[in-house]
Amino acid sequence: MTAVATDVAVPDTRRAGRLVYAAAVVLLCAWVLVPIYFLLINTLSSPDTVNGFPKPFIPEFDLASLQFFAGFAGMLTALKNSVLVAGLTMVMSILIGAPAGYALSRFEFRGKELFRLLILLTRAFPLPLLALPLAVMFIRTGLDDTVFGLALVHTTLAIPFSVLITYSLFSGIPLELEEAAWTLGCTRLTAFTKVVLPLILPGITASAIFAFVISWNEVFAAAVLTIENRTLTAFLLQNLDTSPLHLKFAGGFILVVPALVFIFAVRKYLFAMWGIANR
Amino acid sequence: MNARLLPYVLILPVTLFLCLFFVYPFLLVSKQAFSTGEGFSLDNFRQVTSYWKFPISLRNTLLLAAAVVPIQLALALLMATMVNRMEKGRDLVLYVWTIPLGISDLAAGIIWLAIFEQSGFLNSMMTGLGLIDKPVNLLTFQNPGIVFLAIMLAEIWRATAIMLVILVAGIGLIPKEYYEAAEVFGASKWKQFLRITLPLLRPSLQTALVLRVILAFEVFAVVAALGGTLFPVLMGETYTYQFDLLNSGAAAAMALIILAISIAATLVILRVLRVPKGATI
């Protein structure tokens, strides 16, 4: 604040300003949290209450809706499929993406710009649409309607992020550390596993979780590529028109819960990951 | 291993993977869009663009992006500057504000459905306040404005977080000395924002806008949950062609149309928010 010291009203306006600021913070927090709270009320209320009117503003703590969700034919399999696809996506995107991130941060090589362009193109492309031609390709190779086939598509979605994020993580570790290890008798590989890897592991975990969330949340490719082995998002989308309200809300809530946990787990890395990855 | 070969070995898996699951399917989808059995033709494009729903879904998609993205940008900038000033509780507020980042578009649609459906919380509140006597069915074809508003709110609610993260990360990279110098010369907070934050934030603004605009053209599940068939959008029509009508050629043509719009928008944003060479990856 540029305080004009001659005016007596200044402390008042400053206090008012601080009040407005605090109110805005609270309001914006409520804007995020209240809709989730409404979903929670619906999930923890009996189906009758969910379909009834008016809505209570406090949950009943009745698990009938969730039980109905768990008992709904195919729902638990869909949930399991979602976890499997997301888990596979997480492992593949890191195993494939992290070496490239390391190469980008440590080496100058011919074709680096071209490679970066490929990565950026992938990020700027409506990727779920690639599920359309892949459906045909997967039928030919027997990958259609499998958890692994879908995980391959989700890995394509997650890979640009895992490359850019690991690139920014590796760039945050000084090369001197590795060089010191070399002079102390480490090879490039042992210097990596003994010095760099322990430092980078938490960040790698965070970006793996990020890949998990990307896959967990993806709807279009999952809906196009799976029929029998639907993921939770595909299952819910398919049944949007026909399923009762309490099933939708319970399903929505199950989709949200991991998001809360994951954002909490990666919160420390979220900004560091984006900070350099953008440039 | 040979140090000159090593980087190529390291990028090989990604390159192979992207060639197989990005470049190759992209070529396939292009080929499929431009052929209808005998050689090159534009029949698929003619078919999808002459369908009566096409202009509506195109208009809806563009309108939604035009309504949502500027509000998100303003909101994310506001939130990012607020967080930047914060001393106490910064981590908690940031956590709360970034929660929607992990929430899928389908879940966001369902969340806002809980508010807007006939027996939902909005109607409950309005009757509680005595504004209406009985619940009104808000999401019907008679209320296209409310359907649009519900989808807009859900999109703003869900996707502002990604812009916020990019902008907070960008602001974190601006050297504090600039602000200290501005303080010395008596620049107001507003002037500091206009003269320091905004210009130096250009690379982040660029990334945030490109990412958000592209994703806005892919809006799908939020619309499916809230509007169903009341609010046709391009991605939803593509899904219908592929899944309900089993017309892959038409779906491929729609895919290329969405891609063309995304590329055009990206080029415009990159041009408008040009960043000096060497400042971007």
Side-chain angles (χ1 to χ4, degrees), chain B:
Chain B
M1 190 181 293
N2 189 334
R4 274 185 53 212
L5 269 177
L6 189 57
Y8 295 103
V9 174
L10 291 173
I11 65 164
L12 190 67
V14 174
T15 315
L16 283 180
F17 196 92
L18 289 182
C19 284
L20 195 57
F21 294 103
F22 170 59
V23 180
Y24 177 62
F26 170 64
L27 294 177
L28 279 183
V29 87
S30 319
K31 200 181 124 209
Q32 199 170 26
F34 286 108
S35 63
T36 34
E38 68 270 12
F40 179 86
S41 90
L42 289 171
D43 283 355
N44 285 321
F45 288 93
R46 245 173 255 134
Q47 192 197 339
V48 295
T49 51
S50 60
Y51 185 50
W52 66 273
K53 262 189 174 175
F54 180 78
I56 304 173
S57 50
L58 178 66
R59 196 202 60 192
N60 282 348
T61 307
L62 295 179
L63 211 61
L64 195 62
V68 163
V69 175
I71 297 181
Q72 285 182 331
L73 182 64
L75 201 59
L77 265 174
L78 177 74
M79 289 161 114
T81 41
M82 280 169 86
V83 158
N84 204 35
R85 282 182 51 183
M86 211 172 282
E87 283 144 26
K88 263 186 294 177
R90 186 174 188 268
D91 289 347
L92 181 68
V93 170
L94 263 180
Y95 169 60
V96 170
W97 286 356
T98 47
I99 283 174
L101 184 66
I103 293 179
S104 71
D105 40 355
L106 183 61
I110 292 174
I111 286 174
W112 285 82
L113 184 69
I115 295 170
F116 276 92
E117 48 114 0
Q118 192 170 9
S119 58
F121 290 96
L122 185 61
N123 268 328
S124 297
M125 270 187 273
M126 288 202 296
T127 38
L129 293 171
L131 296 172
I132 46 173
D133 309 330
K134 56 178 174 43
V136 196
N137 198 354
L138 297 165
L139 300 173
T140 63
F141 69 93
Q142 284 139 327
N143 297 323
I146 298 182
V147 175
F148 184 76
L149 185 74
I151 295 172
M152 211 178 112
L153 283 174
E155 271 292 280
I156 294 172
W157 180 83
R158 178 184 72 87
T160 303
I162 186 68
M163 275 189 145
L164 175 68
V165 168
I166 297 174
L167 294 184
V168 167
I171 288 180
L173 294 178
I174 300 175
K176 295 279 165 289
E177 288 78 15
Y178 293 156
Y179 294 102
E180 284 160 15
E183 204 87 40
V184 170
F185 288 107
S188 68
K189 285 280 175 208
W190 175 242
K191 258 233 163 84
Q192 290 178 24
F193 176 75
L194 283 184
R195 295 282 166 81
I196 303 174
T197 312
L198 270 189
L200 289 176
L201 208 55
R202 210 150 47 175
S204 300
L205 284 173
Q206 202 181 47
T207 316
L209 270 175
V210 169
L211 210 63
R212 260 312 298 157
V213 168
I214 289 168
L215 291 176
F217 293 144
E218 287 173 55
V219 65
F220 172 57
V222 169
V223 176
L226 283 168
T229 47
L230 297 173
F231 192 82
V233 286
L234 291 175
M235 202 72 174
E237 291 307 299
T238 314
Y239 179 76
T240 311
Y241 275 121
Q242 174 80 9
F243 212 81
D244 299 337
L245 307 174
L246 299 174
N247 187 346
S248 317
M254 286 294 277
L256 285 199
I257 291 171
I258 297 174
L259 176 65
I261 298 171
S262 304
I263 292 175
T266 306
L267 290 179
V268 169
I269 295 168
L270 290 182
R271 177 96 195 128
V272 172
L273 288 172
R274 226 168 320 156
V275 178
K277 206 173 168 338
T280 53
I281 162 168

Side-chain angles (χ1 to χ4, degrees), chain A residues 35-260:
Chain A
I36 300 178
Y37 176 67
F38 285 157
L39 185 70
L40 180 79
I41 295 177
N42 270 341
T43 310
L44 295 179
S45 296
S46 65
D48 285 342
T49 314
V50 172
N51 292 297
F53 187 83
K55 284 273 153 45
F57 285 88
I58 299 161
E60 290 179 317
F61 297 104
D62 181 317
L63 295 180
S65 289
L66 279 173
Q67 270 161 7
F68 180 81
F69 171 86
F72 197 81
M75 197 57 98
L76 287 183
T77 327
L79 187 61
K80 194 191 80 194
N81 285 336
S82 266
V83 174
L84 279 177
V85 173
L88 272 174
T89 303
M90 173 166 120
V91 173
M92 284 198 288
S93 64
I94 288 303
L95 284 184
I96 299 174
Y102 183 76
L104 277 181
S105 85
R106 287 290 189 262
F107 297 99
E108 285 305 322
F109 54 92
R110 219 184 244 248
K112 190 172 177 175
E113 287 307 310
L114 197 69
F115 181 69
R116 278 180 172 180
L117 192 69
L118 179 71
I119 299 290
L120 283 188
L121 264 184
T122 326
R123 207 171 65 166
F125 194 91
L127 281 174
L129 290 172
L130 292 179
L132 304 176
L134 285 175
V136 183
M137 188 170 131
F138 281 0
I139 289 171
R140 264 186 234 135
T141 48
L143 279 173
D144 60 306
D145 208 357
T146 60
V147 163
F148 183 62
L150 183 59
L152 287 173
V153 178
H154 285 179
T155 305
T156 317
L157 265 170
I159 263 187
F161 292 97
S162 78
V163 172
L164 291 173
I165 289 167
T166 50
Y167 161 65
S168 86
L169 290 169
F170 283 122
S171 301
I173 293 178
L175 182 62
E176 287 76 19
L177 270 181
E178 272 183 85
E179 286 171 345
W182 298 342
T183 55
L184 294 175
C186 282
T187 63
R188 199 175 255 283
L189 187 67
T190 52
F192 180 81
T193 52
K194 285 189 178 157
V195 179
V196 180
L197 203 57
L199 287 173
I200 209 134
L201 217 49
I204 296 273
T205 317
S207 57
I209 289 172
F210 198 67
F212 188 98
V213 173
I214 289 177
S215 164
W216 177 263
N217 286 339
E218 204 280 328
V219 187
F220 188 89
V224 170
L225 284 177
T226 59
I227 310 287
E228 296 290 319
N229 294 308
R230 289 207 164 286
T231 63
L232 187 56
T233 50
F235 194 91
L236 284 173
L237 181 82
Q238 179 89 88
N239 294 300
L240 267 182
D241 297 338
T242 50
S243 58
L245 282 174
H246 50 282
L247 184 74
K248 284 187 206 175
F249 293 139
F253 187 72
I254 302 296
L255 277 179
V256 167
V257 171
L260 299 180

